[in-house]
Amino acid sequence: MSTKKFDEMYTQLPYEFFSKGAQIRDHYKIYDEWLARQPGDTMAKKREETELIFRRVGITFAVYGDKDEDGSGTERLIPFDLIPRVIPAHEWSVMEKGLVQRVTALNRFIHDVYHDQDIIKAGVVPAEQLRNNVQFRPEMVGVHVTNNIYSAISGIDMVRAPNAQGEGEYFVLEDNLRVPSGVSYMLENRKMMMRLFPDLFSLHRVEPVAHYPDLLLETLREASPPTAAEPTVVVLTPGMYNSAYYEHAFLAQQMGVELVEGKDLFVKDDFVFMRTTRGPKRVDVINRRLDDDFLDPKTFRADSTLGCHGLMDAYRAGNVTICNAVGTGVADDKSIYPYVPKMIEFYLGEKPILNNVPTHMCRNPDEMAYVMANLKDLVVKEVHGAGGYGMLVGPTSTKQEIEDFRKAIQANPSGYIAQPTLSLSSCPTFVESGIAPRHIDLRPYVLSGKTVRMVPGGLTRVALKEGSLVVNSSQGGGTKDTWVLES
């Protein structure tokens, strides 16, 4: 890559590859020199090889907006970019400490709201934020959860953008605490990069991520009820038509545990068993990959065929652990997100290491007035939205789209939050026209058991459309391998 060729592209978004002075940042210099030595068609050939391998392995996701004849989602590859996102050790160290702090406080918050509600009594979080939260599960009030850990697996979305001083800073954009997905792509991306470019790994000291399944299994076993000496762990999937089914099967295989559907489980005497060819086998820990509503038709949706009848009875009796815990979604609602910095101070007595993106809550009249006056400049999100849906990006929206959203917000102010349109950092990305800057985010995965652990890295998602800020795969985004360099 020629600095002369690309420095003009990056002077407005310098925080990944280039510094503010359009100088290549130290941790990218070796990669830049390597890329400059490659023949012109190398990257195109490697991309073709990547797509062939991913199709052969079956690394796909389903898009439900496009239906096949049988009603299932259309299977697609998540585009994989060949240029890694590189993070120096000192930046990762700060991020890791901040993520451990944040997830620890979030777990304390979830336990509190289902027990003493001290944070509500103290007036730190308004009581109506629970009353109006559709993810709050009254069935969980007073229920003991092993180690008081509700979100054993957390995916925290991070973005890098200018702070008040104009320097690049990592901000937390969103907390994914219910059923965070994408970790299989983190692992497969690394495997692919090591296969395609082994010489690059001899030039860089990249922290490994391949041990994530081992850490995940250890975390799940630590969550087992104390009565289980040798806990049996399973991954509960909604089935093969789920958009993340590949990941469910992948993680079960990597951990060496059974992948089960609700029909494979039954409850007897408040214990959960799975059907096997050798007869019933007790299950101690369920890594569930379906939402609360579908877990148990006896307790939640009576029409659910995906869960296990009576599962909640066994759960409340303390005879099985569900990870992540039922009711965890109360803390990853976007209307709760603005209160997380206060949670950190309330429960841990510490200042937040990582900042939130500034957020306007439309439920507050003053903030609502500001949002209405500035819709064209803001990003507006439904508090229960996900996957890039239910969102308005003001600067890239039409006047009609803005007015339609205005009416929706006015009809239900508490259902929306708004944030400034950040100048998200970009990373060199190999697209059809060559190498060009594209906006990125990062989802590190935090595992909470008897201790809080992480692998160094995460899933970097990239908005492949020029100028787009939407990185979700369902909205045309792709992924990159994330390299955290050893110190």
Side-chain angles (χ1 to χ4, degrees), residues 340-393:
V340 178
K342 294 181 180 179
M343 292 178 198
I344 293 171
E345 295 188 27
F346 184 79
Y347 294 115
L348 307 181
E350 301 169 356
K351 292 291 183 182
I353 297 171
L354 299 172
N355 289 319
N356 276 11
V357 174
T359 301
H360 306 284
M361 293 181 281
C362 295
R363 59 184 291 273
N364 296 332
D366 290 346
E367 296 178 60
M368 170 74 164
Y370 175 84
V371 171
M372 290 292 99
N374 295 276
L375 269 181
K376 64 182 177 60
D377 301 317
L378 298 171
V379 175
V380 185
K381 302 175 183 178
E382 287 183 323
V383 297
H384 306 309
Y389 296 102
M391 184 168 79
L392 175 80
V393 181

Side-chain angles (χ1 to χ4, degrees), residues 383-403:
V383 297
H384 306 309
Y389 296 102
M391 184 168 79
L392 175 80
V393 181
T396 61
S397 299
T398 65
K399 289 184 178 179
Q400 187 60 52
E401 288 170 336
I402 291 173
E403 289 310 308

Side-chain angles (χ1 to χ4, degrees), residues 313-342:
D313 293 336
Y315 188 41
R316 284 188 287 251
N319 295 328
V320 68
T321 298
I322 300 174
C323 293
N324 287 342
V326 175
T328 295
V330 71
D332 71 7
D333 185 289
K334 292 181 180 65
S335 66
I336 289 293
Y337 161 89
Y339 296 98
V340 178
K342 294 181 180 179

Side-chain angles (χ1 to χ4, degrees), residues 71-86:
S72 63
T74 301
E75 291 292 320
R76 295 185 187 175
L77 291 177
I78 293 184
F80 172 62
D81 183 56
L82 300 173
I83 300 177
R85 189 246 186 97
V86 184

Side-chain angles (χ1 to χ4, degrees), residues 252-308:
Q253 187 271 331
Q254 292 291 306
M255 290 190 289
V257 304
E258 293 294 331
L259 179 69
V260 301
E261 297 182 33
K263 62 188 178 183
D264 300 318
L265 304 176
F266 67 93
V267 174
K268 182 179 180 181
D269 299 328
D270 286 345
F271 286 91
V272 179
F273 297 86
M274 65 174 162
R275 298 177 174 90
T276 75
T277 55
R278 296 184 180 182
K281 182 176 178 60
R282 179 178 161 182
V283 173
D284 304 296
V285 182
I286 299 174
N287 178 202
R288 54 81 167 252
R289 300 304 298 258
L290 64 160
D291 291 336
D292 292 351
D293 286 340
F294 301 98
L295 279 173
D296 182 356
K298 180 181 176 183
T299 302
F300 300 118
R301 284 184 55 160
D303 61 344
S304 173
T305 60
L306 302 177
C308 172

Side-chain angles (χ1 to χ4, degrees), residues 120-279:
I120 305 295
K121 296 171 184 174
V124 177
V125 175
E128 59 265 28
Q129 289 296 82
L130 288 189
R131 286 197 301 267
N132 300 331
N133 193 315
V134 297
Q135 296 299 328
F136 179 76
R137 303 295 182 192
E139 299 86 356
M140 287 297 294
V141 172
V143 175
H144 172 72
V145 172
T146 307
N147 300 324
N148 292 336
I149 298 297
Y150 287 75
S151 184
I153 307 138
S154 307
I156 310 298
D157 290 347
M158 308 286 299
V159 294
R160 200 161 190 243
N163 58 19
Q165 290 73 43
E167 301 294 336
E169 178 181 343
Y170 288 101
F171 294 87
V172 176
L173 182 65
E174 193 168 294
D175 303 297
N176 299 281
L177 308 179
R178 279 173 279 178
V179 190
S181 61
V183 75
S184 61
Y185 301 108
M186 175 188 80
L187 298 170
E188 291 286 19
N189 288 353
R190 175 60 56 83
K191 193 184 304 182
M192 181 61 69
M193 286 293 286
M194 295 182 77
R195 175 174 180 160
L196 295 176
F197 307 110
D199 52 328
L200 272 173
F201 288 87
S202 66
L203 297 174
H204 296 81
R205 296 171 58 192
V206 182
E207 293 274 13
V209 296
H211 59 296
Y212 176 87
D214 295 331
L215 289 183
L216 175 59
L217 181 58
E218 186 177 348
T219 299
L220 294 171
R221 284 177 170 163
E222 288 178 357
S224 152
T227 55
E230 292 294 330
T232 297
V233 176
V234 299
V235 176
L236 175 61
T237 177
M240 64 182 297
Y241 294 122
N242 183 265
S243 62
Y245 180 74
Y246 168 78
E247 174 157 296
H248 308 166
F250 174 85
L251 288 176
Q253 187 271 331
Q254 292 291 306
M255 290 190 289
V257 304
E258 293 294 331
L259 179 69
V260 301
E261 297 182 33
K263 62 188 178 183
D264 300 318
L265 304 176
F266 67 93
V267 174
K268 182 179 180 181
D269 299 328
D270 286 345
F271 286 91
V272 179
F273 297 86
M274 65 174 162
R275 298 177 174 90
T276 75
T277 55
R278 296 184 180 182

